[in-house]
Structures are given as structure tokens and as C-alpha cells.
Amino acid sequence: MGVLMSKKQQVEKVQKCSVVVSAFKDGLKDRAAPAAGALTEEVIAENGDGSADGSHQANKEHTEQKDKDSKPGSLPNQQASASLREEHKANQEAWGRLRDGKGVEPEDLKKAHQLTPPTFVRPKREVNDDQPVDVPLGQRQQPVNDEMCEVCEVWTADDLFPCRTCTRVFHDGCLREMGYLSTEALQEMRETAHTTTGWSCYYCDNVNLLLTEEEMYSLMETFKQCKIIPESCLVSDELLQYRHFVTKQLFERDLTDEEEEEVLAQFAALDPDKKGQIEWSDFLYHESLSVLQKFRTENSLVRILTAKERDRARAIFQSIDQDKDGIITAGEARKAQTSWFHKINKESQSCSVSISHVGPISESSPASSSSERSRDKALENDNRPVTWDNFLRESAIYILAARPNSSAMHIRLPL
């Protein structure tokens, strides 16, 4: 009986399937043929990655191009419209890289072989950021560099290049494949990473990454209001216009003649090669440091310093503190801070210990005005006592300003 019931169920199942197939065929007859655009959308949905089948896409583009060509007098307008769209897309991508803290990719980057770049996460302010931090003078941290490449996590001994700021190490091939360093920058890394000058990795070189999302948003809004285009060079007039706008926003007044002179001196400091323009990265780093200097406390800046930077600060303080009483003069502290502006020449690798291995400002430097030189001489004779804690707090912004590999001066002592 069970076998008979099973056969009966099978017969009913076959009859149901026949009804479904018949209805499906009838539906296909009554249904209109899908349009080309609908077919493309279905293919895109099926592929799931936003790319349609190659033949359908080619046919669609061919048809669109044919329609465009058939319209007389429309080609110049179409070309202009396409150019504007490309420019808008490029600007949007530039704003996106600025928001995420990423630099310009080298033009010769082979993206087919590019490794996955790291995700940059902007810091968040903590509750205790503004509280004093205890950094003992007599206790060096002596951090040890990582053993494996930050990118591929492989150890290859002498082939690893260390960062002078943090403990990360890298293969030059990995950095090249990631596209964060150009050929020229890679060569500079190979020449300096194992010297006293040192080299900052892409995390530490980009001081803009120290800004929080809120600080970065505020800076981007200022750029947009001043019509500053990311990843574009600036001439002196554009920098003056930008400074006028910022001063008007913050203080509701115009720049004074002395402040304009200071802006032009800053332009010269950001243009050490005297090209008549400043690079986007140098302008961005300077503005990022200005945000940190204006809106962060000295204690919070000390917390940003790495163990290597604190150890170098100890070394320079102890070299000045000859009697080992833990106190130096304000004039001596000023000399140390002034000496962190310019990086030393590659030819003179053997130098005395300093926080970022940089030399003092030359009196003939375009970044050194007559009023500044006379002020410096007066401050050098300042005998006010400065403790180690005060020295580190006052110096923190200059230590951070020395992180970038660029030879430009990214921050100056105020007038």
C-alpha cells in the first residue's frame, strides 16, 4: 500500500510541474523583450561588483557614441562637459585623500601589482590628554625596532629600513609596491635610513595624521572657503590671501604689515629650493602643525611624542645641562629649539646629537628676518631657569615639526 501511495504522489508531482512549465511558457510569450538598459542593469546586479558584461557594455558605449556623433555641433560642448566632469572627479578624489590622510599616488604606480595600503585611523582625544605626563630625565626608554617588515611581516635582517620616529621597519620593495614613495623618495630612504639623519616612515612623515576628525573637518572647510584645491602648489599671493582670510575669521581684522612680512618669510621657509611655489604636502603639514599649536595643550603634545623622540630630547637637554642639576637657562633652551628647524646636509652625516638632527638657522637664510635675528640674540642671553619638564613641554611642537622628511621649515618661532 505504501508503494502504491508513493507512485500516486509521483504522478501528482509530475502533473504539477507540467502546469508550472506551461504557465512559465505562456508568461514568456506575453512578456515584452527587455530594453538594453534593463538588460545591462540585470547583468550588473548579477555580477555584484558594479561591472556589466564586456560585450553588453561595449555595445552600449558604441550606441551612445554613435548617437553623439550624429548630432551636429555638439562635439565641442560634449568635450567641455567631459573635461569638467573629469576635473570634478579629480577634485573629489583629492578631497577624499585629504580627509583620509593619504598623499598623492605616484603617476608611474603599477596598480596591478599594488599591495593593499594600510587604513589610516585618525586619533581621538582622551579625557586625560591635557594632564601632565611623567617623563623622567634620568631614565631612557631605549626602544627597540621591530624585527619584521610592517607591510609583509617578514624578517630579512639588513634589508630592513627603520623609521627614525617610531619602531617600524620596512622593505624598500614593499614601500614601492604600496605606492607611498616615489622613486626619488625611495632612493633618499636608502641613503638616510641607516645614518644619523634618519628617515620617517609614511605614518610619521605625514603630521596631518595627528589631527582628529573634527580638527581635520574644520581645516578642510577653511580650505574650501578659500578655494584652496588639495594637491596643488601655492604661490606667495595665494598664501597671503589665505592668511588674510584666516585672520579675518579668527580675529575679525586684517593682517598687519609686520604679519604680512612674516607670511612671506614663512613662504620662503616652505620653499627652500626657491621655486616660487610651495608644495601641497609642505603647506598641509604647516597648517596641520598650526592647528595643533593653537588648539592642543603642551601636555597633550608631549603625549604624542614617541619613545625615540623623548630619548633624543633627553640627550640634548643633558648635553646642555653641564652641571647636571636638571636646570638650563631659557637662552640655552631657545638655542635647542632654534636648531631643530633645518635638517643637516646629507654630506655632513657626522653631527652632534640633537632631537631631529638639524642645524641652526643661518643669518643669511630667507626665513631669518632682521627683527628675528636681533630678538634671537636677546633671548640667548635670557638666564631664566628652565626645568626638564618645562623644556619638554615647550619643545614638543618643534619635535613634531621635525618629523617630515621634507627640507622645508614647517614651523617657526612666533614673532
Side-chain angles (χ1 to χ4, degrees), residues 37-291:
L39 179 60
T40 303
E41 292 175 358
E42 288 177 6
V43 175
I44 292 175
E46 289 175 3
N47 288 349
D49 57 358
S51 61
D53 181 80
S55 60
H56 289 124
Q57 185 68 18
N59 290 335
K60 183 180 178 182
E61 291 175 356
H62 178 72
T63 304
E64 290 177 351
Q65 186 62 38
K66 187 175 180 180
D67 293 338
K68 289 179 181 178
D69 295 342
S70 63
K71 296 179 182 178
S74 63
L75 186 58
N77 294 334
Q78 291 167 2
Q79 290 178 342
S81 178
S83 177
L84 288 174
R85 283 198 301 270
E86 286 297 322
E87 183 179 355
H88 177 73
K89 181 180 178 183
N91 287 342
Q92 288 297 107
E93 291 175 352
W95 283 113
R97 284 192 291 270
L98 175 60
R99 181 190 64 248
D100 299 335
K102 297 181 180 180
V104 187
E105 294 181 355
E107 294 180 357
D108 57 347
L109 174 63
K110 296 180 180 178
K111 294 191 177 181
H113 301 95
Q114 184 182 5
L115 297 176
T116 304
T119 301
F120 295 105
V121 180
R122 292 196 175 275
K124 294 183 179 180
R125 297 296 307 274
E126 301 293 339
V127 177
N128 63 340
D129 272 358
D130 299 330
Q131 299 300 316
V133 54
D134 182 26
V135 182
L137 175 60
Q139 183 180 348
R140 295 189 61 188
Q141 294 177 260
Q142 296 179 321
V144 179
N145 287 328
D146 299 343
E147 294 183 352
M148 295 185 294
C149 173
E150 175 72 12
V151 179
C152 67
E153 298 184 350
V154 173
W155 177 82
T156 52
D158 295 337
D159 292 335
L160 290 169
F161 295 89
C163 173
R164 70 165 176 240
T165 304
C166 64
T167 59
R168 300 182 183 93
V169 293
F170 301 85
H171 291 122
D172 55 350
C174 291
L175 291 173
R176 183 180 63 252
E177 289 295 316
M178 287 179 65
Y180 279 103
L181 295 183
S182 63
T183 302
E184 182 181 353
L186 277 170
Q187 184 59 32
E188 181 180 352
M189 178 203 68
R190 296 187 188 105
E191 294 173 357
T192 60
H194 291 293
T195 67
T196 54
T197 301
W199 162 83
S200 286
C201 70
Y202 52 82
Y203 288 103
C204 302
D205 174 72
N206 189 354
V207 292
N208 176 257
L209 294 176
L210 299 176
L211 302 187
T212 63
E213 290 185 2
E214 294 78 12
E215 291 167 338
M216 193 61 227
Y217 176 80
S218 175
L219 187 59
M220 287 175 61
E221 286 300 306
T222 304
F223 288 164
K224 288 179 180 178
Q225 292 174 18
C226 293
K227 294 180 171 56
I228 298 292
I229 302 175
E231 302 172 8
S232 60
C233 298
L234 279 77
V235 297
S236 58
D237 288 345
E238 290 174 319
L239 185 63
L240 266 174
Q241 182 181 358
Y242 174 79
R243 287 280 179 270
H244 272 290
F245 178 84
V246 173
T247 304
K248 196 80 173 177
Q249 263 201 334
L250 294 178
F251 308 109
E252 297 183 351
R253 63 174 179 81
D254 294 326
L255 288 175
T256 64
D257 292 341
E258 186 179 30
E259 288 172 333
E260 284 194 355
E261 180 185 350
E262 170 67 12
V263 173
L264 294 177
Q266 183 64 67
F267 182 89
L270 290 171
D271 181 27
D273 299 329
K274 299 182 180 179
K275 297 178 181 178
Q277 62 184 22
I278 55 179
E279 299 296 328
W280 165 253
S281 58
D282 290 323
F283 171 71
L284 177 62
Y285 294 170
H286 177 269
E287 293 307 303
S288 301
L289 288 163
S290 297
V291 170

Side-chain angles (χ1 to χ4, degrees), residues 20-34:
V20 171
V21 171
S22 177
F24 178 73
K25 289 180 178 179
D26 294 338
L28 287 178
K29 290 179 182 178
D30 298 335
R31 182 175 158 190

Side-chain angles (χ1 to χ4, degrees), residues 296-333:
R296 300 281 189 95
T297 63
E298 291 178 343
N299 286 329
S300 68
L301 296 180
V302 171
R303 291 181 181 276
I304 298 176
L305 300 180
T306 65
K308 285 185 179 181
E309 289 172 323
R310 294 179 183 182
D311 275 355
R312 293 188 190 117
R314 286 189 186 90
I316 191 64
F317 185 91
Q318 290 172 341
S319 67
I320 297 173
D321 183 20
Q322 296 295 328
D323 55 6
K324 309 301 178 186
D325 62 351
I327 297 175
I328 62 175
T329 66
E332 291 170 332

